[in-house]
Structure formats: C-alpha cells, structure tokens
Amino acid sequence: MKKTWWIGILAALAFSFGMAQQANLKACFIYVGPIGDVGWTFAHDEARRAAEKAIPGLTTQYVESVKPADTLATVDRLVAGGCNVIFTTSFDFMDPTLEAAKKYPEVIFAHASGFKRAPNMLTYMADFYQIYYLNGLMAGALTKSGKVGYVAAFPIPELKRHISAFALGVRAVNPRATVNVKWINAWFDPVKAREAAEALMAEGNDILAFTEDTATVVQTAARRKVPSFSHYNSMYKYAPDYVVSGQLVDWSVIYIDILKKVQNGTYTPKNLQNVDYWWLAREKAVMLGAQVGMPINPKFEPALKQATMVVNGKRVSVYDRVMELYKDIQSPNPKWDPFTGPIRDRNGVLRVPAGRKMTVKELNEMQWVAPGVVGPVPDEPK
C-alpha cells in the first residue's frame, strides 16, 4: 500500500514538472528579412507578438535578416539560449532546418513554406493562391493595355503557384491579356523591386502585382498613377488612390494553434512527421484586401461592377464574381478552387485533368506555369 502511495506521489510530481516545463515555453523565430520590411517578415513578427500576448507562460525571441547559409549557426545560438520551439520562416531555410532538427532531436522545429518534415519538424503555410486568383480577376478587368506586370522574388513553387493563379484569374476576364514577369532573385531588395516595376511600366504594363517584402512596387506604381495590389500587409496607406486590393496574411492563428498544442502536449518532438498546416481563407489565415476590412478599394468598385465576364454561360459583373468566390472560400466547405481541371500549362501540356483539383503536395511542388505568363521561368518542365 505504501509503495503504491509513493508511486502515485512520484507520478504526480513528474507530471507536474512536465507540465511546468510545457507551460514555460520559449519560442524563437528566424527571419530572412528585417522586421521593418512592411511585408513578409513584418507579418511574421506581428504574429509572434500576438502569440506572446495570447499564451500565458510563452516567451519569444527573434533573429532578423538571417542568410540561409547562417541558419544552423543561428539555431545553435538559440538552442543554447533555451529555445525549445524554433520557427524558421523562409523557404531557403528548409534544408538547414532539417539538419538542425536531426542535430537537436528534443527541440521542436516548424518551417514555413517548405515540404520537408521530421519527427520533430512540422511545416506550415498561410497560402494566397485562391486570393491571387481573385486579384487576377480584378487586374484582368482593369487593364486597358492587356499587359499586367509582376515583380517576382525567386522562381520557387510557391511563386509559380501564385503567379499562375493570378494569370488564370486575369485570363478568366480578359482571355488575351498577359502577365509579364520580371524575377529579381531577392526577397528584400527595394532597389531591384523599383527598377523592375519601372521597367514593366515602360514596357506598357498598366497594372502591377508583386512578391517582394516592401511597399516599393506599390509606391513606384502610384507615382505613375498605375493601379497595384497589396502584398502580405495593408499597403493601402502608401497609395490610397491606386491600391486596388491585395493578399493579406494573419500568421498569428497558426502560431497560436501550434504553440498551444506544444504547451498541452499534443505536439511532441516525436510526432510531427505528418503535421502540415495549409491554412487558407477558410481558417482566417489569409484575407482579400487593400487593407484589413477593405476587400476592394471603393475607388475601384464602379469600374469592377461595370466590367463583366462569362460564368457558366451567364454574364456577371467582375465585382460580383470576386465577392461570390471570396464568400465561398471563407465558408467551412468551399466548393470552388482555381486549380480545378482541365488546366494546361503555357506549353499546352495537360497538368490537371477535367474535374480534378490539385492536391496540396502538387501545389507545393508546382514547377509549371499557366497560360498567359510571359517571361523566362527557371526549372519549367517542357
């Protein structure tokens, strides 16, 4: 009886100790850019701060402007500093994060935008491809030249997916329009972004979209009175007369969910091999908007209501179509997806058969691009 009593006491103490360890999490974030970039890294850091406020016992730390080659050394310092959950927030960090996960099997790692996992490494993404299609519909309706410019960071599957969804939307309204891409091979480079935006406008592109982590493209386009789209954050304030809409993110819903599950013991360093967050508008991880609460800039609503497109044999306004699809993808069971076949790539190869929707794996590994995309695309299959 006494032995049983002592075993019970020891078990309770061990459980309490374990819970105390879980309750006092230290989550650390490795950023590819500066937290003041207005875009990608700024959004992750906003979410870090929101998670710290939302979760009692959570402390956080971050390192900004980390080069991919320095990822493992940065992890070494963070682990030595007591970090037991580490988020690496750039596709370029994927392989070194996997290496770090093997080196520190008791630490939990989470990698944004990649696809490689381990027992102590999960993946997560708040993805825009559905939102990009909706912005493509608006771009297709607003372009007068039929040329839409895109300033692109790196030619990885994420960007090929986004640019293709955007182009599918553009061509759903304007079948002859093109999406003209200039790669700058940088996530954060305002000088290259400005030069690419100016070059695209000089070539006749009268609408701009982009992936780069500053508001440079929005500001550069506004100086030439060219409409553009926000990316990652609310950029309406930088050009209120020219930002049409955009894709906005809220990473906090993902960070809070992951950290609460680490804290309550649902996630451990041994059961993350198959954990992949792929959160969209339905999960409130992404939004359509020129800024939060403004899906479409009111200045552009009259033009979008006047522009029309054909849907299932009926002519409807582009504005109504955008709002109808946006409502659908925010519902618990969306019926529509832009990557539902039949879809051929720009070389005429059938990539998605009729009636089939691309899987998350296919979207994550996408190398081809949709018809209407113009410009060289590295690693494009023929």
Side-chain angles (χ1 to χ4, degrees), residues 89-251:
T89 63
S90 176
F91 183 82
D92 309 333
F93 296 156
M94 181 169 63
D95 287 331
T97 301
L98 186 62
E99 187 178 352
K102 292 175 181 174
K103 184 176 181 179
Y104 298 108
E106 299 306 316
V107 175
I108 286 178
F109 291 87
H111 177 245
S113 77
F115 52 85
K116 294 182 180 179
R117 292 185 289 279
N120 60 330
M121 175 181 166
L122 62 84
T123 48
Y124 64 101
M125 184 65 177
D127 200 83
F128 286 140
Y129 76 97
Q130 296 171 326
I131 304 292
Y132 259 110
Y133 181 94
L134 304 186
N135 283 317
L137 292 178
M138 289 184 265
L142 295 172
T143 179
K144 292 180 173 59
S145 67
K147 298 176 70 174
V148 178
Y150 196 104
V151 177
F154 290 97
I156 60 174
E158 176 190 339
L159 265 71
K160 293 180 182 181
R161 175 173 74 242
H162 291 169
I163 293 168
S164 291
F166 186 67
L168 289 172
V170 168
R171 286 212 158 182
V173 175
N174 193 335
R176 294 186 177 180
T178 56
V179 175
N180 304 287
V181 178
K182 288 194 182 298
W183 303 99
I184 62 172
N185 294 309
W187 296 117
F188 177 82
D189 195 324
V191 173
K192 285 185 178 178
R194 176 177 51 78
E195 292 173 348
E198 288 176 342
L200 286 164
M201 290 187 289
E203 292 168 4
N205 293 280
D206 59 359
I207 307 284
L208 293 187
F210 69 101
T211 297
E212 195 265 348
D213 293 344
T214 71
T216 299
V217 172
V218 164
Q219 293 169 308
T220 304
R223 284 196 285 272
R224 295 275 298 273
K225 299 184 179 181
V226 167
S228 63
F229 293 84
S230 276
H231 188 56
Y232 278 111
N233 276 307
S234 304
M235 296 183 175
Y236 173 76
K237 63 183 178 184
Y238 295 101
D241 291 334
Y242 298 103
V243 173
V244 181
S245 181
Q247 43 282 338
L248 308 175
V249 69
D250 181 3
W251 290 102

Side-chain angles (χ1 to χ4, degrees), residues 75-99:
V75 168
D76 289 339
R77 291 198 301 274
L78 293 175
V79 172
C83 299
N84 41 21
V85 182
I86 295 178
F87 294 93
T88 56
T89 63
S90 176
F91 183 82
D92 309 333
F93 296 156
M94 181 169 63
D95 287 331
T97 301
L98 186 62
E99 187 178 352

